[in-house]
Amino acid sequence: MTMVSTPRVLLLAALSLAVGTPPSLAAVYDVGPSQAYANINDVPLESLGAGDTLNIHYRSTPYAEKFVLCGGSASNMLVVRGIPDPATGALPVLDANGATTRLELSYWNEVRNLIKIGSSSTPSCSRADWILVENLELRNAYPGNTFTDDGGANGMYVNNAAGIHIEHGAHIEVRGCKIHGNGNGIFVSLNSGPNYSSNISITNNNIYGNGVVGRYYEHNTYTEADGILYEGNTFGPLCAGCLGNNLKDRSAGTVIRYNLIEDGNRQLDLVDTSDATLAATDAYQNTYVYGNVLYEKTESGNRQIMHFGEDSYGYGRGTLWAYHNTIISERSGRTSVVRPSTSTQTVHLYNNLVFTTATAGDLEIVADGRGTVSLDGMWLRPGYVVTFATNLVTFTLQNTVDGTSSWPVNSTTMRPLAAIPGAVGLPASLTNNYPVDMEYGGNARSSLSDIGALAFNILETPECSAGYTLSGGDCVDVDECASSDDNNCDTNADCINLNGSYTCACQAGYTGDGQTCEDENECVLGTHTCSVNANCTNVPGNFTCDCQDGYAGDGLACDDVDECLANTHSCTGNCTNTDGSFTCDPGCAPGFEIGSLSWYGNQCYFADGSFPATDFSDANVQQPASASFSVASSIRQTDVVFVAKAIFPSAATDGMLFEVGAGGHGFWAGIL
């Protein structure tokens, strides 16, 4: 894909490079079923930084959790990635209604977001830089829905709450997400210069059903930044009864390309910035809209497809360049292609296909008759009028192709039913910097002979863009996961196919970016589920649990073994069970009681402290030949063994203990 060359537009190639090779010290956090973390809030979100990856795996129940992000670096982005269901491709869901915030986080404006980017106390940042959020379903940040904030208090979302709120961010990409049921789907705040929110990229998302019932002020997206790119998105209608616009933007350097945008009060509302300094920049003077399908399927709002210029602050935008778009309206009454706000706006329309189903004469090119408008290479439904307004618009029309009163495109795919020749060459400033080299849906487009967003015969462009292959005259998704030759996932990772791409996710028991997965030592990390009375043993991709001695079970649950009851003890007297072990009570003979010598443990002693009357000096005891044996006293007794203190001639052995058999008929057992 050829990227936009203006420095104010986020380069996707640069983002891919930033994501490519995380540093060795970067952390990968896997959340979900059979993962290291069960919930998002179990992760130390306050510590996320450059190169870190937060993988949120699909599960059948939504994640009711909300958080803030502070960013990465140019060489190592912070990545928050949804891992879809491998079987169905369903995205993991983050539901704002009833969501909780991790208590270790601290940030403001929680009433306005499910995911917030930038402007936070913990983690600490003003502007967040270099973040990718992808493959998540984000829903229900809607007024009246509630949440629990970072202090544990109850909160309620306000009208302009958003699924993603970029309060202050640069080099931020939102990609492949499904965003619906919020006040605003995506909201981007400009902040003050010179550190504006900048280089924002919104790509390949499905954004629909946002807005607030009965209100005009919330939209599918509402953005203001110094450089923004909308590419490859599907914008559906707003929620029923919601009166906002589909895509509303106040940015400098806006590029809107290869999107399908259906319904809304207006499909595109491109109006003035709130910042005088940004309004004075060169980038603010030009806005680019090309390769889009703009579809008015129902009479959902204003008859204008595009509004361009200003509505609030008086900093009118300069020039709108709109080319190779397909504009279809099924309104029963009038449809207006564009409304410049004031006479200072200029609009250039090249090679656009415009078709309406209403009565001939209900197609208006310029609403309200303001500004300077030029048309070149346009396909127009017969009976169009320049303007219904009485004031005079400066208008130039050339090389127009007379359209038809019947559908020129397939009403489902929007691809022309026949070739629509007549496209004119574009100015060099467009072909060099903002070329039409793709179509909505991912097809590459090398020929611009057809007017409109889609070529009639895709075979005229035999090379599909990466992730697609030519089939039946159209580019279809390649399932890179069907063969290991088509992906670079690690052998210990799952490959998950996406539209035009794929992602790799390390399997449970492994950690990494999916392209490289290393064994996770659950025993060392403490993420195992073994019983506290079991030994954990790490194995590749997993761990085993074995109950310790004195316990029995499967290792996940280990119960104490009652050795006394099972008669597996080694006591000669009474046995007392303990947790994981047992103790022995020798059982004293009559006239003796339990006592303790530190060198021999629990034994029986004479209850009155006296010694036995028996003299063992004549006992048949095996003695060392050089020793003269005599018994000074009996120290202790069990029912089996006496312990005596012997007096040896040698001072070195004097007073040492030895054992003799009961009754004095024993044997030399050695020094104790």
Side-chain angles (χ1 to χ4, degrees), residues 381-629:
R381 163 83 184 268
Y384 69 88
V385 297
V386 174
T387 183
F388 291 111
T390 57
N391 48 314
L392 182 63
V393 61
T394 303
F395 189 78
T396 303
L397 176 65
Q398 58 186 358
N399 302 312
T400 302
V401 174
D402 291 332
T404 65
S405 58
S406 58
W407 278 81
V409 299
N410 182 296
S411 61
T412 301
T413 66
M414 295 297 166
R415 191 168 296 285
L417 299 174
I420 305 181
V424 300
L426 299 173
S429 61
L430 301 182
T431 56
N432 291 339
N433 298 313
Y434 305 94
V436 182
D437 53 15
M438 283 183 61
E439 295 181 341
Y440 167 74
N443 296 329
R445 183 166 180 176
S446 59
S447 171
L448 299 179
S449 60
D450 281 332
I451 293 173
L454 305 174
F456 162 59
N457 189 348
I458 197 65
L459 292 175
E460 72 178 17
T461 57
E463 292 187 4
C464 296
S465 56
Y468 297 88
T469 187
L470 194 65
S471 176
D474 220 336
C475 286
V476 298
D477 175 59
V478 172
D479 185 354
E480 295 89 351
C481 299
S483 171
S484 59
D485 295 334
D486 295 330
N487 67 74
N488 60 352
C489 296
D490 190 272
T491 55
N492 294 311
D494 293 323
C495 178
I496 302 167
N497 189 57
L498 304 172
N499 189 24
S501 184
Y502 67 96
T503 189
C504 306
C506 292
Q507 297 167 355
Y510 295 89
T511 184
D513 61 3
Q515 299 176 21
T516 301
C517 297
E518 298 178 351
D519 176 57
E520 186 176 64
N521 191 328
E522 298 87 352
C523 302
V524 172
L525 295 174
T527 56
H528 62 83
T529 55
C530 297
S531 166
V532 295
N533 297 315
N535 295 320
C536 177
T537 303
N538 188 62
V539 297
N542 210 333
F543 58 92
T544 61
C545 306
D546 297 296
C547 292
Q548 299 167 357
D549 292 343
Y551 298 90
D554 60 4
L556 303 178
C558 294
D559 298 321
D560 174 60
V561 174
D562 189 338
E563 295 88 351
C564 302
L565 182 64
N567 200 28
T568 57
H569 60 86
S570 57
C571 298
T572 57
N574 296 325
C575 175
T576 302
N577 188 60
T578 61
D579 189 22
S581 186
F582 62 93
T583 60
C584 296
D585 178 351
C588 297
F592 296 85
E593 65 182 15
I594 195 72
S596 176
L597 288 177
S598 60
W599 60 81
Y600 205 68
N602 293 331
Q603 295 293 345
C604 292
Y605 300 84
F606 293 102
D608 59 2
S610 62
F611 301 106
T614 307
D615 184 353
F616 294 104
S617 59
D618 296 327
N620 181 21
V621 177
Q622 300 177 20
Q623 308 173 41
S626 61
S628 174
F629 176 78

Side-chain angles (χ1 to χ4, degrees), residues 103-367:
L103 296 178
E104 287 78 4
L105 299 176
S106 177
Y107 59 102
W108 54 94
N109 273 344
E110 282 203 58
V111 296
R112 292 194 56 191
N113 39 69
L114 173 53
I115 295 178
K116 180 182 177 182
I117 294 177
S119 298
S120 172
S121 296
T122 307
S124 178
C125 66
S126 175
R127 192 181 73 181
D129 297 342
W130 298 100
I131 296 175
L132 169 64
V133 177
E134 66 175 348
N135 301 337
L136 293 170
E137 181 175 346
L138 307 171
R139 70 189 193 192
N140 293 337
Y142 188 84
N145 288 344
T146 60
F147 63 91
T148 303
D149 68 15
D150 54 24
N154 294 328
M156 182 178 293
Y157 298 102
V158 294
N159 286 326
N160 61 350
I164 294 183
H165 177 198
I166 303 174
E167 184 161 343
H168 198 186
H171 303 283
I172 309 297
E173 182 174 9
V174 180
R175 180 172 69 196
C177 292
K178 184 177 181 180
I179 305 173
H180 63 102
N182 308 285
N184 293 293
I186 299 175
F187 191 96
V188 180
S189 303
L190 179 65
N191 269 276
S192 58
N195 294 318
Y196 298 115
S197 287
S198 61
N199 294 321
I200 307 299
S201 179
I202 300 172
T203 61
N204 301 315
N205 300 285
N206 186 4
I207 306 172
Y208 66 96
N210 300 288
V212 176
V213 174
R215 288 177 55 90
Y216 289 94
Y217 306 107
E218 291 79 35
H219 318 281
N220 267 336
T221 61
Y222 193 178
T223 53
E224 185 176 13
D226 185 11
I228 190 165
L229 170 67
Y230 285 92
E231 180 180 296
N233 301 286
T234 300
F235 284 85
L238 278 72
C239 55
C242 298
L243 306 177
N245 297 296
N246 211 318
L247 188 163
K248 187 178 183 76
D249 177 70
R250 299 183 181 274
S251 302
T254 300
V255 176
I256 301 169
R257 62 189 186 188
Y258 318 134
N259 304 280
L260 169 63
I261 305 175
E262 180 182 330
D263 291 342
N265 185 43
R266 301 180 181 95
Q267 280 72 13
L268 298 176
D269 193 28
L270 311 174
V271 290
D272 49 338
T273 180
S274 61
D275 188 90
T277 302
L278 186 65
T281 63
D282 291 340
Y284 186 69
Q285 307 311 312
N286 294 280
T287 299
Y288 302 91
V289 176
Y290 59 95
N292 302 284
V293 176
L294 307 178
Y295 188 17
E296 179 79 0
K297 189 173 183 179
T298 64
E299 300 188 47
S300 58
N302 198 297
R303 72 173 190 265
Q304 303 156 17
I305 302 297
M306 294 181 285
H307 176 216
F308 179 74
E310 60 184 76
D311 70 354
S312 297
Y313 303 102
Y315 305 125
R317 296 171 88 135
T319 300
L320 171 63
W321 304 86
Y323 48 101
H324 278 287
N325 299 289
T326 294
I327 301 171
I328 303 292
S329 174
E330 296 189 55
R331 293 179 69 90
S332 59
R334 292 178 178 178
T335 295
S336 301
V337 175
V338 63
R339 176 182 173 248
S341 299
T342 72
S343 59
T344 63
Q345 272 78 58
T346 298
V347 178
H348 294 295
L349 303 173
Y350 296 100
N351 303 334
N352 298 292
L353 184 156
V354 184
F355 174 74
T356 62
T357 59
T359 304
D362 279 343
L363 172 59
E364 178 186 44
I365 304 302
V366 185

